[in-house]
Amino acid sequence: MEFSSAEPFKGEGCLSKEKNLYITFVLGGPGSGKGTQCAKIVENFGYTHLSAGELLRQEIASNSEDGVMILDMIKEGKIVPSEVTVKLIQKGMESCDNGKFLIDGFPRNEENRTAFEQIIGAEPNIVLFFDCPEEEMIKRVLNRNEGRVDDNIETIRKRLKVFAASHYPVIDYYSKKGKLCKIDAIGTEDEIFERVRPVFAACEGVQ
Ligand SMILES: Nc1ncnc2c1ncn2[C@@H]1O[C@H](COP(=O)(O)OP(=O)(O)OP(=O)(O)O)[C@@H](O)[C@H]1O
Ligand SMILES: O=c1ccn([C@@H]2O[C@H](COP(=O)(O)O)[C@@H](O)[C@H]2O)c(=O)[nH]1
Ligand SMILES: [Mg+2]
């Protein structure tokens, strides 16, 4: 485990002027268990969970202007333009009194990361990275059964390729800043949560 940053972020963005922000980015490949573990963190530590993928799926469902473009990108496993995603995250953060956020599945590449910093004016305190072998991720996604348009073997392969090609620079960036907490994502959901729990328990005292 290599993280140090439990202090609230007080940056220049509109959000950070209004409240202390405790931001955790939750990263990992498709099916690595991000959403599952976020639900447990919410339950135990009272964070607000914002899944970037879920915000994009809600945008499709609301028939918004960007909906068709987003659907096309998701079907191909491609990364939606940063500005679109960051604006949705910003809206989610602004609509919440709580300043403790889990931002799940974002940033997916360096451009996402810098867009968040510019638009939101804040950085994460902690970055969780769920480290899971590809074969396990494929098995989990194919068993998920939630009717997602991208939960098929063809799109999963594309998502894994995009993940492998774009996430390392982000992970590396936060590792160098001492913010990365890599979690072994093999085991039962409860076993994995026992690896996650100490990260948040350590922050409780300073919030
Ligand atoms: N430790 C685990 N062992 C077995 N199955 C798991 C485990 N954790 C999660 N799952 C299951 O695997 C599937 C994928 O998990 P989850 O949706 O949390 O992944 P994710 O990282 O959010 O994926 P995506 O990036 O595609 O949204 C779900 O059906 C979930 O119930
Ligand atoms: O920041 C993001 C998050 C997601 N996407 C697109 O959505 C799908 C599904 O994301 P999940 O995190 O698995 O729910 C992803 O493959 C991308 O196409 C995105 O573009 N940017
Ligand atoms: Mg998810």
Side-chain angles (χ1 to χ4, degrees), residues 33-92:
K34 302 179 294 296
T36 303
Q37 294 300 320
C38 282
K40 290 178 181 292
I41 299 165
V42 168
E43 202 180 305
N44 285 271
F45 296 102
Y47 277 68
T48 296
H49 177 202
L50 296 174
S51 156
E54 196 49 46
L55 292 172
L56 291 168
R57 287 186 283 277
Q58 284 167 10
E59 199 63 5
I60 297 169
S62 72
N63 292 319
S64 84
E65 214 180 299
D66 289 324
V68 174
M69 176 275 290
I70 296 171
L71 178 60
D72 287 345
M73 302 292 274
I74 287 183
K75 278 182 180 165
E76 289 302 312
K78 290 183 180 160
I79 299 173
V80 170
S82 298
E83 199 188 304
V84 172
T85 313
V86 176
K87 286 278 155 69
L88 294 174
I89 294 172
Q90 185 180 32
K91 231 163 84 182

